[in-house]
Amino acid sequence: EECNRQHSMKLSDEYVQQVVNASIMHDIGKSGVPEGILYKPGKLTHYERKIIETHPLFGADILNKISHELNDDLFRQELDISKSIVEFHHEKWDGSGYPHRLKGDDIPFEAQVVSIVDVYDALTSRRAYKEAWPTEKAIDYLLDQKGASFHPDLVDIFVGMIRRQSKRRTRKGTA
């Protein structure tokens, strides 16, 4: 809704809900990555990083196999959005991402959105290899990555939403 208002986009409620539903599967391809690499507490080796970077392709392959067996057009459409998110959520705005090194608007819109949300979630969540970052530090990182990792306008929209949400929480806590 925020994106529609700020950029005169016409994203249907149905499409937005499909993206929300599909985003849950964004890392399904990690099922093809050895746990010892996924949960390694220290820095990954070059080889281990290359293995991790295959997970979008593993995920797309899983969804392609499921999709191939379907005869339901609505479910197939939802799965197409899921495949787009799964395969392209690690592409970067400047073309330095993976697995295909897509750049700018060559990256499917839904993958651009999920990429920002995924990075924010990763930064603000505790992991085996790092502590959770405070919200403002994560926001600063996203703002720093505008035009490099992420679509600049989408970062502004996302950061605005996070800050408004944070203000509402603060007001509720002080009332």
Side-chain angles (χ1 to χ4, degrees), residues 19 22-23 26 85 89 109-119:
V19 171
S23 68
H26 75 281
I85 290 169
H89 73 282
F109 178 79
E110 55 269 13
Q112 292 180 41
V113 171
V114 171
S115 175
I116 294 168
V117 176
D118 184 37
V119 168

Short mmCIF file of all heavy atoms in Angstrom, two decimals, residues 19 22-23 26 85 89 109-119:
data_model
loop_
_atom_site.label_atom_id
_atom_site.label_comp_id
_atom_site.label_asym_id
_atom_site.label_seq_id
_atom_site.Cartn_x
_atom_site.Cartn_y
_atom_site.Cartn_z
N VAL A 19 2.82 -12.15 -2.79
CA VAL A 19 4.23 -11.91 -2.44
C VAL A 19 4.47 -12.24 -0.97
O VAL A 19 5.46 -12.89 -0.63
CB VAL A 19 4.66 -10.46 -2.78
CG1 VAL A 19 6.05 -10.16 -2.23
CG2 VAL A 19 4.62 -10.24 -4.29
N ALA A 22 4.39 -16.00 -0.68
CA ALA A 22 5.52 -16.61 -1.37
C ALA A 22 6.84 -16.35 -0.65
O ALA A 22 7.76 -17.17 -0.71
CB ALA A 22 5.59 -16.11 -2.80
N SER A 23 6.95 -15.23 0.02
CA SER A 23 8.22 -14.85 0.65
C SER A 23 8.65 -15.84 1.71
O SER A 23 9.85 -15.97 1.98
CB SER A 23 8.13 -13.44 1.23
OG SER A 23 7.23 -13.42 2.33
N HIS A 26 11.44 -18.16 0.58
CA HIS A 26 12.59 -17.57 -0.10
C HIS A 26 13.89 -18.36 0.07
O HIS A 26 14.72 -18.38 -0.81
CB HIS A 26 12.78 -16.10 0.30
CG HIS A 26 13.35 -15.90 1.66
ND1 HIS A 26 12.59 -16.00 2.81
CD2 HIS A 26 14.60 -15.61 2.05
CE1 HIS A 26 13.35 -15.77 3.85
NE2 HIS A 26 14.58 -15.53 3.42
N ILE A 85 11.00 -15.05 -6.36
CA ILE A 85 11.59 -14.63 -5.08
C ILE A 85 12.75 -15.54 -4.70
O ILE A 85 13.84 -15.07 -4.35
CB ILE A 85 10.51 -14.59 -3.97
CG1 ILE A 85 9.53 -13.45 -4.23
CG2 ILE A 85 11.15 -14.48 -2.59
CD1 ILE A 85 8.29 -13.49 -3.37
N HIS A 89 16.29 -13.38 -4.95
CA HIS A 89 16.34 -12.51 -3.76
C HIS A 89 17.76 -12.15 -3.30
O HIS A 89 17.91 -11.29 -2.44
CB HIS A 89 15.51 -13.09 -2.61
CG HIS A 89 16.11 -14.28 -1.92
ND1 HIS A 89 16.08 -15.56 -2.46
CD2 HIS A 89 16.76 -14.38 -0.74
CE1 HIS A 89 16.68 -16.38 -1.62
NE2 HIS A 89 17.11 -15.70 -0.57
N PHE A 109 10.50 -7.48 -9.41
CA PHE A 109 10.08 -6.57 -8.35
C PHE A 109 9.91 -7.28 -7.01
O PHE A 109 10.40 -6.81 -5.97
CB PHE A 109 8.78 -5.86 -8.75
CG PHE A 109 8.25 -4.93 -7.70
CD1 PHE A 109 8.80 -3.67 -7.55
CD2 PHE A 109 7.23 -5.32 -6.86
CE1 PHE A 109 8.34 -2.81 -6.57
CE2 PHE A 109 6.76 -4.46 -5.88
CZ PHE A 109 7.31 -3.21 -5.74
N GLU A 110 9.22 -8.42 -7.02
CA GLU A 110 8.95 -9.11 -5.75
C GLU A 110 10.25 -9.56 -5.09
O GLU A 110 10.37 -9.55 -3.87
CB GLU A 110 7.98 -10.28 -5.94
CG GLU A 110 8.39 -11.30 -6.97
CD GLU A 110 7.85 -11.02 -8.37
OE1 GLU A 110 7.36 -9.91 -8.66
OE2 GLU A 110 7.93 -11.94 -9.19
N ALA A 111 11.25 -9.92 -5.88
CA ALA A 111 12.55 -10.30 -5.31
C ALA A 111 13.28 -9.09 -4.74
O ALA A 111 13.96 -9.20 -3.72
CB ALA A 111 13.41 -10.99 -6.37
N GLN A 112 13.12 -7.92 -5.37
CA GLN A 112 13.71 -6.70 -4.83
C GLN A 112 13.15 -6.39 -3.45
O GLN A 112 13.89 -6.03 -2.52
CB GLN A 112 13.44 -5.51 -5.76
CG GLN A 112 14.15 -5.57 -7.09
CD GLN A 112 13.81 -4.36 -7.94
OE1 GLN A 112 13.73 -3.24 -7.44
NE2 GLN A 112 13.61 -4.58 -9.23
N VAL A 113 11.84 -6.52 -3.31
CA VAL A 113 11.18 -6.23 -2.03
C VAL A 113 11.64 -7.22 -0.97
O VAL A 113 12.05 -6.83 0.13
CB VAL A 113 9.65 -6.26 -2.19
CG1 VAL A 113 8.95 -6.18 -0.84
CG2 VAL A 113 9.18 -5.14 -3.11
N VAL A 114 11.57 -8.51 -1.29
CA VAL A 114 11.93 -9.54 -0.31
C VAL A 114 13.40 -9.43 0.08
O VAL A 114 13.76 -9.67 1.23
CB VAL A 114 11.56 -10.95 -0.83
CG1 VAL A 114 12.12 -12.04 0.08
CG2 VAL A 114 10.04 -11.07 -0.95
N SER A 115 14.25 -9.02 -0.84
CA SER A 115 15.67 -8.86 -0.53
C SER A 115 15.88 -7.86 0.61
O SER A 115 16.65 -8.13 1.54
CB SER A 115 16.40 -8.38 -1.78
OG SER A 115 17.74 -8.09 -1.49
N ILE A 116 15.19 -6.74 0.55
CA ILE A 116 15.33 -5.72 1.60
C ILE A 116 14.83 -6.26 2.94
O ILE A 116 15.49 -6.14 3.97
CB ILE A 116 14.57 -4.44 1.22
CG1 ILE A 116 15.24 -3.79 -0.01
CG2 ILE A 116 14.53 -3.45 2.39
CD1 ILE A 116 14.41 -2.68 -0.65
N VAL A 117 13.66 -6.89 2.91
CA VAL A 117 13.07 -7.43 4.14
C VAL A 117 13.96 -8.53 4.72
O VAL A 117 14.18 -8.58 5.93
CB VAL A 117 11.63 -7.94 3.88
CG1 VAL A 117 11.05 -8.60 5.12
CG2 VAL A 117 10.74 -6.80 3.40
N ASP A 118 14.48 -9.38 3.86
CA ASP A 118 15.34 -10.48 4.29
C ASP A 118 16.61 -9.96 4.96
O ASP A 118 17.01 -10.45 6.03
CB ASP A 118 15.68 -11.37 3.10
CG ASP A 118 16.49 -12.60 3.46
OD1 ASP A 118 16.23 -13.19 4.52
OD2 ASP A 118 17.36 -12.99 2.66
N VAL A 119 17.25 -8.97 4.36
CA VAL A 119 18.47 -8.42 4.95
C VAL A 119 18.16 -7.74 6.28
O VAL A 119 18.88 -7.94 7.27
CB VAL A 119 19.18 -7.45 3.97
CG1 VAL A 119 20.27 -6.66 4.67
CG2 VAL A 119 19.75 -8.23 2.79
#
